[in-house]
Amino acid sequence: MIKEFFTQNEWLGINFSELPVELYSDKLPSAEFYSLFYRELDKKYIDLSQFPIEWLKIKLNTAHALSQFIPQEGSVLSYGCGLGIIEKYLIENFGVNKIEGIDFAFSPQVGYKNEKFQRIFSEEEISLKKYEVIYLSQVIYSLDDSEAISLLSFLSKSLKHNGKLIISYTSILSFENGSVLSQRFIIKLLGNKLTNICKRMFFGNSKKSGSQSWGYMRDNELTELIAKRAGFAELIFFSSAQQSFLICSKK
Ligand SMILES: C[S@@+](CC[C@H](N)C(=O)[O-])C[C@H]1O[C@@H](n2cnc3c(N)ncnc32)[C@H](O)[C@@H]1O
């Protein structure tokens, strides 16, 4: 099993050192961090067409992959939905009729708005419902193993009897995301690790380094173990949209 902790200096063109928040290279970002980040993102990108085209393509392909498992009329929850871009594609391109989304960083003003997409703001609301599909697109990287197990096991209680939980993430092993393990990828991974060690040596955990710890890259074996520990028994992997997908059922 392989796992790598990684840090990040920027995301989608927003430099973290410009955010009015303390950065930590040894502590995962808080809801406040993500909220400030999304506020900046909202200022930077007036509409969707301004986002990097490659990034949008991955979101569209992710929506396509998810759409195969999402009933058009069923009850669906996106946990950690962010801006709601995947939800926009699912609704507008793939005919999904209703999606609920939750994200610990969100205020009602930011992100995709559509009557078919309903944001919810409390986990308690989730615990009172039963969904056919719950998906987490690029979310579990932001949790350590025990937090991921608790979250998945909490969500499993809100699945219908035959419901499915779908996790999409970037595996640390690029062939598990459907691409060939390239020399460039290995060099980038080692380069990142070395940069992070140097930054920690020179700057400690202060804001000066401009780095924020971002989460964990795991391989499929470890992700499978996390899902099993959360009580899922039937697990199917596939790769699409340059990511790994894990479909989890309770039996
Ligand atoms: C990389 S974004 C993915 C957004 C969206 N699902 C997508 O694929 O475009 C990760 C999202 O997870 C949310 N997130 C991170 N940790 C979380 C937590 N502990 N609880 C709820 N949401 C969380 C962040 O606010 C962020 O919006």
Side-chain angles (χ1 to χ4, degrees):
M1 277 180 284
I2 313 174
K3 177 164 82 168
E4 174 82 45
F5 185 67
F6 68 108
T7 61
Q8 195 106 333
N9 299 323
E10 64 88 38
W11 185 30
L12 289 169
I14 310 282
N15 285 318
F16 297 159
S17 55
E18 287 161 22
L19 297 176
V21 67
E22 193 72 40
L23 303 178
Y24 298 95
S25 55
D26 61 346
K27 209 162 88 181
L28 291 168
S30 58
E32 188 202 2
F33 176 93
Y34 277 106
S35 306
L36 290 166
F37 168 81
Y38 279 122
R39 213 169 63 191
E40 280 309 301
L41 200 69
D42 200 44
K43 278 193 233 155
K44 185 177 165 87
Y45 298 103
I46 311 297
D47 66 59
L48 209 59
S49 66
Q50 298 177 331
F51 280 87
I53 189 95
E54 269 310 305
W55 187 79
L56 287 175
K57 217 153 82 186
I58 291 173
K59 296 297 162 193
L60 178 63
N61 291 339
T62 304
H64 184 207
L66 288 169
S67 70
Q68 300 165 57
F69 303 93
I70 294 186
Q72 293 196 341
E73 300 293 339
S75 48
V76 181
L77 174 70
S78 167
Y79 191 97
C81 59
L83 290 171
I85 292 176
I86 290 174
E87 291 64 42
K88 173 185 163 62
Y89 287 137
L90 281 168
I91 289 167
E92 296 178 13
N93 296 48
F94 300 104
V96 175
N97 264 321
K98 190 172 160 251
I99 307 179
E100 289 176 25
I102 187 166
D103 193 299
F104 74 167
F106 259 78
S107 65
Q109 296 83 23
V110 182
Y112 177 55
K113 287 176 196 63
N114 185 302
E115 56 184 19
K116 294 180 179 176
F117 178 50
Q118 194 194 341
R119 279 188 188 274
I120 55 178
F121 295 95
S122 87
E123 300 223 332
E124 204 198 327
E125 237 183 283
I126 298 176
S127 65
L128 300 172
K129 292 185 177 167
K130 294 280 179 200
Y131 296 94
E132 254 126 8
V133 174
I134 299 177
Y135 64 87
L136 302 96
S137 162
Q138 294 290 345
V139 177
I140 61 158
Y141 76 87
S142 66
L143 306 171
D144 69 28
D145 294 358
S146 61
E147 287 171 328
I149 293 168
S150 316
L151 175 61
L152 298 190
S153 102
F154 165 73
L155 293 175
S156 80
K157 296 188 186 85
S158 294
L159 277 179
K160 285 189 178 164
H161 183 60
N162 289 321
K164 292 193 176 357
L165 183 130
I166 307 172
I167 309 167
S168 72
Y169 58 98
T170 310
S171 167
I172 190 164
L173 299 174
S174 66
F175 68 86
E176 292 182 343
N177 304 317
S179 45
V180 180
L181 188 61
S182 69
Q183 214 178 5
R184 226 178 85 217
F185 177 82
I186 297 169
I187 291 168
K188 198 173 154 206
L189 200 69
L190 292 175
N192 273 348
K193 201 174 166 71
L194 211 64
T195 313
N196 292 340
I197 291 169
C198 292
K199 278 185 178 159
R200 227 171 286 171
M201 269 168 55
F202 289 117
F203 299 116
N205 295 325
S206 77
K207 192 179 167 80
K208 273 180 284 176
S209 71
S211 286
Q212 169 61 50
S213 83
W214 202 241
Y216 300 89
M217 275 184 110
R218 304 176 171 96
D219 65 354
N220 285 357
E221 199 184 350
L222 179 54
T223 310
E224 180 177 29
L225 184 67
I226 287 172
K228 280 188 176 155
R229 292 250 163 97
F232 289 98
E234 203 183 284
L235 301 161
I236 301 166
F237 284 103
F238 70 97
S239 57
S240 186
Q242 299 171 38
Q243 295 157 86
S244 274
F245 286 75
L246 179 57
I247 315 290
C248 313
S249 314
K250 284 193 260 190
K251 58 161 196 69

